Each structure stands twice: as structure tokens, then as C-alpha cells.
Amino acid sequence: MTHNRFANRREAFWRGIHDALGAPVLVLFAGMVGFGAMGRSHGFDAWMTGLTSLLMFALPGQVVMLEMFISGSSLLAIGFAVTLTSTRFVTMVVTLFPQLHRRDRNPLLYLWVHMLAMTAWAVSMREFPHMRPQHRLNYFIGLALPCWLISPLGTVLGYFVAGWVPAAVTLGLVFINPLFFLLTFTDVKPWANRIAIGLGCVLGPLFFVLDADSSLLLTGLVAGTVAYFVDRRWLRPRPLEVST
Amino acid sequence: MTADMQGWGVWLALSAACVGTYICRAAGVKLSGHIHQDSEVFRWLSAVTYAMVAALTVRMILMPLGLLATVPLWLRVLICALSIAVMVSRPQRRLVPALLTGTLLMLAYGVCRANP
């Protein structure tokens, strides 16, 4: 398990860079190009759209913000909805960072955590068990840094490309966003989360028709809670009885 | 609303969204020191989160704003179904080919529409 995969932390960092420069960077780039195109088609300016990717770096939250702003939601509602969409980061960080070496679990993590995205998280969760704890943070930084840096570039590129390419290309770019999320759902393993996704797909449009503003939050709470209890009641393996 | 106020509104919305997102990340760091990843609260929170993202995704596909709304609904759903088929056609998920399938099909539709 903890074989010496890397000679030192430097090597782990470069391996992270190497692993990033494939599917992870491509997916983020495509997603962010789509977001840039979306910002353009919604009438936002290039600075604002690019900065969103640099400073927020959370595609679903960015999309929520854009859509809610267009539909004229209040500032408070936007902040609240985006924060709620980003609650997944709490879970992601809590499952990832306890795997780091004790020495690396210091206040600097508040800096590195900004580069965390779904892609880097998924790859790290897969790779961490195959390396020593003292190499994990450097691997993570190598992996997450290119993903973060490519995002504003992709966004600004998508923004300007959407202006002078044919509508057909813009259409393809705008479609990358929802398609990317849809596809990542097929990779979700826990049953509670799978049920939550299924219920969310059904209840989402329903609640949206009833009340657009609160529909995301309402769908999340109802579908998520039902999924959690269904999983807890029927699907989860029974905890072992403690025999005395 | 004047254009100037609207401009300010955008920046305020961005700031609020950035702060909110970072708070979640920071909370994760804070909690990762204390809380177990198997705790019930986190299972629940994660289910709630997935349901929200799913609702958002479906909304973007079924009830989009802007350019995507000009594509017939059945076609959007069909392209999604084909992309998912590519994605799950192998045990190790093929995200990039699936993403390309959907994007290129949508592109092809756009080209056909422009040149009937």
C-alpha cells in the first residue's frame, strides 16, 4: 500500500502535474469554455466572467449565480443559493484532507483548498491510497494547480470565441456544461447520492414550476433527505451486532 | 434600474458568491480536523448536494435560457441519452469521448439548422 512510489515530494508534485495534463484539464477547460460562452450569451462582461472562474472556481455555483442574476433574484438569495450549491466542498474536503500527512495539516491548507474542484478531488481519492501520506499534498497541488489556472483562460477564450464563431459552435459549447454534470452523475457510487440524483431530476422541474427561486434549495432538501433515509432504512448494510 | 446600478449588482453578486463558496471550502478544512467522514450529517449533506446539482442540471437541459432553448426538447434529451450510452459503454467511464459525442452532435444540429 504505502510503497515508495515517489523518491521525494518534488517528484510527487511533478507526477500530479503530469496526471492533470490529460482528462482533468481537458474537462475543466471545456466546461469553462462553455461557461464563458454562456456568460457572453447572457450579456455579462468578459472581466466578470473570467474573474468568476478564478475566484469562485466552482462551475455549478457559477452557473447558479449567472442564471439567478439573469432571472432577477435578490442578492441575498443568490449568495444563499450559491453557498448551498457549494456545500459539496465541505464533504469533499472532509473526505480528502484527513488523508494528508500530519505535518501538512496546517493553516496553509486554507490556501490550497481554493484549488479543489470535483475533478481534482476524484483523481486524488483514487490515487492517494497508492502513495505515502507525506507525498500526498504535493501530488494534490501538482494536480489541482493546472486545473485552476486553465479555468479563467478557458472562460475568457470561450467568451470571445462565442462572439465570432458560428452559432452552431456556440451551441455545442453552451451544451458542454449540463452534459458534463450529467455524465459525472454516472460515476457517483454511494446509493444515497444516486437516489438523490434520481429524485432531484424528477422533483427539480416540478418545484421549478411551483416557485423558481427556492426550487433548487427545496429540491435539495426534499430529494436529499428522502434519499438519505431510504438508504439508511433499506439499503445500507446492517451494522454488526455487538455481542457481549 | 439604471445600467450603473445593474453593473454594481453584478459585482456584488460575484462577491457574495465567491465569499459563500470559499466559506464552504474553509469550513471543510476546519471540520476535516474534527469530524469523521462516515458521520450521518455528512451523508445527509452529500445527498442534499447531489439532489441540488441534479435539479440544476436537469433544469439547464429541459428549461434552458438563451441559445439552447432554440433546440427542440426531444433532441436535447436524445443527445444526452446517446452521450450517457457512450459514457457507460465501458466499466472505466469514458468521460472525454462521451463529452465529445454530445458536443459534436449538438454542433452537427447547429450546422444542419444553418444550412437546411
Side-chain angles (χ1 to χ4, degrees):
Chain A
M1 278 292 272
T2 52
H3 52 272
N4 244 337
R5 187 167 162 197
F6 307 116
N8 51 45
R9 294 173 148 239
R10 191 192 178 87
E11 203 182 306
F13 172 78
W14 285 108
R15 183 69 207 183
I17 297 260
H18 177 269
D19 286 358
L21 300 178
V25 160
L26 187 68
V27 163
L28 269 163
F29 184 74
M32 290 298 181
V33 165
F35 177 74
M38 191 177 165
R40 176 92 177 214
S41 73
H42 283 13
F44 282 80
D45 75 74
W47 273 105
M48 156 87 189
T49 317
L51 270 178
T52 306
S53 297
L54 188 73
L55 299 178
M56 239 173 103
F57 191 44
L59 203 46
Q62 289 174 227
V63 173
V64 170
M65 187 192 74
L66 222 67
E67 302 252 287
M68 285 185 82
F69 193 83
I70 287 300
S71 60
S73 304
S74 76
L75 217 64
L76 198 69
I78 294 175
F80 194 59
V82 170
T83 307
L84 272 161
T85 324
S86 298
T87 45
R88 70 180 188 288
F89 282 113
V90 180
T91 339
M92 279 157 60
V93 177
V94 165
T95 50
L96 195 66
F97 282 6
Q99 300 180 50
L100 299 175
H101 193 262
R102 180 178 293 274
R103 199 179 76 187
D104 294 325
R105 300 184 62 190
N106 54 44
L108 266 180
L109 286 183
Y110 285 101
L111 190 68
W112 305 129
V113 77
H114 182 71
M115 303 190 306
L116 181 68
M118 202 97 95
T119 6
W121 177 78
V123 175
S124 296
M125 290 295 277
R126 198 184 63 207
E127 297 294 323
F128 271 10
H130 306 297
M131 66 183 78
R132 291 184 160 199
Q134 56 265 46
H135 294 147
R136 288 175 183 166
L137 181 66
N138 292 63
Y139 178 84
F140 171 77
I141 295 170
L143 181 70
L145 193 63
C147 292
W148 179 52
L149 292 177
I150 200 78
S151 296
L153 292 179
T155 307
V156 172
L157 187 77
Y159 187 93
F160 287 113
V161 156
W164 47 261
V165 298
V169 177
T170 316
L171 200 59
L173 292 176
V174 175
F175 191 59
I176 292 176
N177 280 283
L179 188 63
F180 172 67
F181 297 135
L182 195 69
L183 292 174
T184 53
F185 290 155
T186 64
D187 244 347
V188 171
K189 291 291 183 296
W191 272 103
N193 298 347
R194 287 179 172 179
I195 297 167
I197 289 168
L199 281 174
C201 288
V202 177
L203 293 180
L206 217 65
F207 284 146
F208 185 76
V209 173
L210 290 176
D211 179 44
D213 254 4
S214 66
S215 67
L216 276 187
L217 172 61
L218 210 60
T219 308
L221 287 176
V222 174
T225 307
V226 170
Y228 168 78
F229 280 111
V230 166
D231 175 67
R232 185 174 176 167
R233 178 76 180 78
W234 288 293
L235 297 173
R236 226 183 270 176
R238 298 257 166 270
L240 291 172
E241 296 287 335
V242 181
S243 52
T244 46
Chain B
M1 200 194 267
T2 66
D4 198 39
M5 270 176 71
Q6 201 158 11
W8 272 108
V10 176
W11 290 103
L12 282 174
L14 174 61
S15 309
C18 287
V19 170
T21 300
Y22 185 75
I23 284 174
C24 289
R25 297 177 195 265
V29 178
K30 186 81 191 154
L31 291 175
S32 69
H34 311 284
I35 285 190
H36 208 260
Q37 64 183 69
D38 294 329
S39 84
E40 295 300 318
V41 176
F42 281 100
R43 290 186 192 212
W44 173 72
L45 204 60
S46 134
V48 169
T49 310
Y50 272 108
M52 283 179 56
V53 178
L56 175 69
T57 304
V58 166
R59 191 167 107 192
M60 287 196 291
I61 293 167
L62 300 184
M63 311 157 164
L65 300 170
L67 196 58
L68 215 51
T70 61
V71 180
L73 176 66
W74 66 268
L75 196 67
R76 280 177 260 147
V77 173
L78 179 68
I79 294 178
C80 287
L82 288 172
S83 305
I84 290 179
V86 172
M87 180 80 171
V88 299
S89 61
R90 273 201 202 154
Q92 70 275 28
R93 302 297 195 222
R94 302 196 294 184
L95 185 59
V96 176
L99 213 52
L100 281 177
T101 305
T103 310
L104 292 179
L105 283 175
M106 192 53 83
L107 187 88
Y109 166 76
V111 170
C112 291
R113 191 173 64 175
N115 315 291

